[in-house]
Amino acid sequence: MQYWLMKSEPDVYSIDDLARDPTEIWDGVRNYQARNFLRTMAVGDLAFFYHSNTKPPGIVGLMTIIESDIVDPSQFDPAHKYYDPKSPPDNPRWRTVKVGYQETFANAITLDQLKATFTPEELLVVKRGNRLSVMPVNEPVAERILAIARGT
DNA sequence: GCCAACGTTGGC
DNA sequence: GCCAACGTTGGC
């Protein structure tokens, strides 16, 4: 079982949206490094939901991976913001996962708190200039995040 | 294959 | 709104 961190701008898609409608295809990732991480996700993995481009940014909850390695349907929809006309239909460029809602943390952990707690080597999201929207989180770090989030 | 120009992310 | 970081594009 692997832990992950996945970013979303809450104005676009938030943990509340996922809580309301508790499964969702995580579409719109158009970065190869992030896609490669998505492709290695397995059913049962856990992912921290990170709110980006908001005040304050931070980790707000937890999701589970409920379906792995699925074709991102938005790449073939010309009306969609993430339409990719260069993606070959017989060999889709963009694959993703379906996530399921797990919990909204009693204590959201802001980026400031994360920076005060972890080094950039421990947790990539605190590294300055980091733009990756999907990244792995190692287990000891994930357990510390969970303890803070749950106040235990 | 190089690299300048450009676009996007995302914290501040 | 600014801008640092950095990925992508396209001319050569």
Side-chain angles (χ1 to χ4, degrees), chain A residues 114 117-126 136-138 140-142 144:
Chain A
L114 291 170
T117 310
F118 301 105
T119 66
E121 291 72 32
E122 288 175 310
L123 184 65
L124 195 61
V125 78
V126 306
V137 177
N138 73 43
V141 169
R144 289 166 69 191

Side-chain angles (χ1 to χ4, degrees), chain A residues 6-9 12-29 38 41 47 49 62-74 80 82 95-102:
Chain A
M6 298 165 79
K7 295 182 185 174
S8 180
E9 300 188 14
V12 178
Y13 186 74
S14 74
I15 187 94
D16 293 337
D17 295 320
L18 182 61
R20 200 174 302 120
D21 183 5
T23 70
E24 182 77 10
I25 293 174
W26 198 267
D27 68 1
V29 172
L38 286 168
M41 290 183 181
F49 196 130
L62 192 66
M63 308 180 271
T64 54
I65 306 307
I66 59 173
E67 198 177 333
S68 63
D69 197 27
I70 58 182
V71 173
D72 181 339
S74 66
H80 202 281
Y82 297 111
R95 291 177 177 266
T96 187
V97 296
K98 184 180 274 188
V99 297
Y101 178 74
Q102 185 95 352

Side-chain angles (χ1 to χ4, degrees), chain A residues 52-109:
Chain A
S52 65
N53 203 16
T54 189
K55 285 183 182 176
I59 291 173
V60 293
L62 192 66
M63 308 180 271
T64 54
I65 306 307
I66 59 173
E67 198 177 333
S68 63
D69 197 27
I70 58 182
V71 173
D72 181 339
S74 66
Q75 68 195 304
F76 298 124
D77 177 1
H80 202 281
K81 183 184 174 192
Y82 297 111
Y83 177 53
D84 182 358
K86 293 184 196 163
S87 181
D90 57 344
N91 183 23
R93 193 179 277 186
W94 305 111
R95 291 177 177 266
T96 187
V97 296
K98 184 180 274 188
V99 297
Y101 178 74
Q102 185 95 352
E103 68 178 287
T104 301
F105 292 141
N107 310 300
I109 309 173

